[in-house]
Amino acid sequence: MTSTPSPSVPVLTRRHVLEILGVGAAGLTLAACSRGDGGQKAGRVAEFHGGTAYQVPPKGHFNLMDGVTDSILGDHFYIDLLMTPGAMYRWKEQTWVPMLAEKWHTDASARTFTFTLRKGLTWSDGKPITSKDALTTYWCLRVMRNSLWEYVEKVEAPDELTIVLTMKKPSTVVERYILRQRIHADATYGDWARRAEELFGSGKDLESPEGKKLNEEFQAFRPKRAIVSGPFDYDYNSITNSQLSFVKNPKGYAANKVAFDKVVIYNGETTTITPVVLAKKLDYATFGFPVATEKQLVREGFRIIRPPVYSGPALLFNLDKLQEFKDVRVRRALAHAIDRDQNGTVSLDKSGKGVKYLAGFSDNLVPAWLSAQDQDKLDRYAFDQAKAADLLTEAGWKRSGTQWLKPNGQPARYELIFPAEYADWSASGQDVARQLSAFGIAVTGRGVTESQQPIDVDKGNFDLAIQSWGTSAAPHPHFAFVQDLFTHNIPVAANQGGRGMGFELKQTTQAQGEVDLGRLVIQAGEGLDAEAQKASVTSVALAFNELLPMIPLFERYGNNPVLEGDRVGKWPPDSDPLLQNSPYADNFTIMLLYAGTLKPSAG
């Protein structure tokens, strides 16, 4: 079942559908049943078709540095086809596949992580890719408050291919930060890097007037084009509201291995992209399709792949604005008041599983990091509205008929914002609003365009919000905790001039006393012994579970349709360990394209 769309979700008109599909009214029926553009039988170039939402210029731009908003595909896995990472990871086997980085090692005694670029790598402008480009990237990441700099104190390049990072303390997560990082061209970002190096070298930081100015100016930087390292480049003349294309970059890494000549990306989120998928215009999609749509896709001949996503939607509170939610009993009450299993089922059927542990990172990974004894300490916050009522009463709330009154005597009424175009998160938000309203806390859901909603959260322009808990970016819990406690909270929301959730990271807990969650998150990734890191991971997990800075709702599994035998041949079977990769980081389709094992259909 699906929920009623928010009024903010775009209404898909016939004209809009025709524009996306690129056909006239008379051709709609033909387009819906034909093989789709780029079919190999027609003798055209080998094309791969995907989709995601992006902004067109002038709002959309080509400042692709991590953390800059509204870059065209800069925050999506398809960017990996333009900007090749140092390496990509196979999550099940826990092994790296080298790409731009040829080799690397950690020296614990020297506190260094050293990696070497491959010889002969070339940017799309013909210049060689060197260690200077890597250094430039790291300095710009520091301007964007990237958490890498919580671990690193110095970056150096002893020669044109070697980069040495000196760590504050040896850390296993630095390997992930560095190898998975996309290197950006000094030709584009060099001046910014020099300004950053000068700022930090003078003893100033991003809270200084000079630092704030640099951060603001850097985020406003708009290069006319991107200089890329991957097997594809933007076809700049193809960028429209409905789609864009990548064309082969013969100078790029693995260009000779990738079996496709062109990649077409259709623009849109779930609501607008659904008719495009059903018309068999896409070969692969990672959208959170509603239950009815998934069933229709199966009837149309699509195969559904269900990789774990290791994250999902969470309920966030604006603690600066709503003082009543600073009382942890109120946040715990809401955790008991919401049926998380229902929330997952309403949103994604069997691809949405109610969170069990509420530890701040994936239920799939909890047993690997917490002992059975520590797992037992985690409150499961079972759906129990009587328990929720008791907690609210303890916190000074009162019932007036069917309505809850806050301690100040005012009725409890809130607005909940969610990304309008995300069908699964919209359904989740609407279901939370219905459940809490039925419980007596009046909540009105409102969809906000997906590019604006996280900015509103960071600026503090919300009461309640749906945003991500956990992370699809990396398997180590440290990265999930960064998402939970930093990304839409005080440390990183500062990039938008706000405090996000406003959850202070120094807290008092019943189980552990005084805790500094900011420091503990960093400690969770420090050291080279994963066993030793478990103590810090456990501390953060127990504190998260007790304090509930956000309420994780359900853990998402992909319901990714793939179209086999049209433009593209076979994907690996479900038993292939590569399909255990998160679809939003180290995406298996991207890795298959790079390896040349995903090929055009022979039919």
Side-chain angles (χ1 to χ4, degrees), residues 1-294:
M1 84 182 162
T2 57
S3 50
T4 304
S6 161
S8 297
V9 177
V11 177
L12 194 64
T13 66
R14 178 178 175 86
R15 179 179 178 182
H16 192 181
V17 172
L18 296 178
E19 180 189 35
I20 292 175
L21 297 180
V23 296
L28 180 59
T29 303
L30 177 63
C33 63
S34 70
R35 297 180 62 254
D37 290 346
Q40 311 315 316
K41 285 183 178 180
R44 301 178 183 177
V45 296
E47 293 186 7
F48 179 90
H49 289 194
T52 188
Y54 61 84
Q55 299 290 333
V56 297
K59 185 174 184 180
H61 59 84
F62 301 102
N63 182 351
L64 302 179
M65 189 62 63
D66 306 57
V68 178
T69 60
D70 293 328
S71 59
I72 298 177
L73 301 179
D75 61 351
H76 196 273
F77 61 78
Y78 283 117
I79 200 68
D80 287 333
L81 293 175
L82 305 177
M83 308 293 295
T84 304
M88 295 183 78
Y89 196 64
R90 296 181 67 100
W91 288 39
K92 182 71 172 178
E93 299 98 320
Q94 299 182 30
T95 57
W96 286 101
V97 178
M99 300 178 89
L100 293 194
E102 184 176 49
K103 57 183 179 180
W104 54 87
H105 70 275
T106 298
D107 185 330
S109 60
R111 294 184 291 114
T112 56
F113 180 82
T114 302
F115 76 97
T116 304
L117 291 166
R118 294 181 185 274
K119 294 180 181 179
L121 296 172
T122 306
W123 291 110
S124 54
D125 66 356
K127 295 180 180 178
I129 300 175
T130 71
S131 56
K132 186 177 183 181
D133 301 299
L135 296 187
T136 286
T137 299
Y138 304 142
W139 281 113
C140 290
L141 290 176
R142 191 170 184 181
V143 174
M144 290 304 299
R145 295 182 171 89
N146 189 280
S147 293
L148 167 68
W149 281 92
E150 299 290 345
Y151 295 96
V152 171
E153 64 182 16
K154 184 168 60 173
V155 292
E156 301 172 286
D159 60 50
E160 289 195 348
L161 296 178
T162 305
I163 300 94
V164 180
L165 299 100
T166 301
M167 297 177 279
K168 297 174 182 177
K169 293 182 180 179
S171 167
T172 56
V173 300
V174 167
E175 179 181 76
R176 175 79 190 185
Y177 273 114
I178 297 303
L179 295 182
R180 198 56 186 83
Q181 178 61 47
R182 294 178 287 268
I183 294 173
H184 299 266
D186 180 78
T188 301
Y189 294 99
D191 290 343
W192 296 101
R194 256 66 85 194
R195 287 180 61 184
E197 192 170 4
E198 181 181 350
L199 173 80
F200 293 109
S202 69
K204 295 183 175 66
D205 60 21
L206 292 173
E207 300 310 313
S208 67
E210 297 87 347
K212 291 179 179 178
K213 183 173 184 289
L214 177 59
N215 175 273
E216 291 171 1
E217 291 180 353
F218 181 72
Q219 292 192 73
F221 173 51
R222 298 291 181 262
K224 292 182 179 179
R225 294 197 172 207
I227 300 174
V228 303
S229 57
F232 293 95
D233 196 354
Y234 295 101
D235 178 354
Y236 291 89
N237 294 326
S238 76
I239 300 173
T240 69
N241 283 314
S242 59
Q243 67 184 67
L244 61 77
S245 297
F246 300 162
V247 291
K248 209 65 171 283
N249 169 30
K251 300 182 179 70
Y253 174 78
N256 60 333
K257 285 187 178 180
V258 177
F260 292 85
D261 305 302
K262 183 178 180 180
V263 174
V264 178
I265 305 295
Y266 285 86
N267 188 18
E269 268 302 338
T270 311
T271 304
T272 54
I273 212 74
T274 296
V276 187
V277 180
L278 288 170
K280 298 190 175 181
K281 293 283 183 173
L282 265 68
D283 303 304
Y284 171 68
T286 58
F287 302 85
F289 291 105
V291 178
T293 301
E294 181 184 320

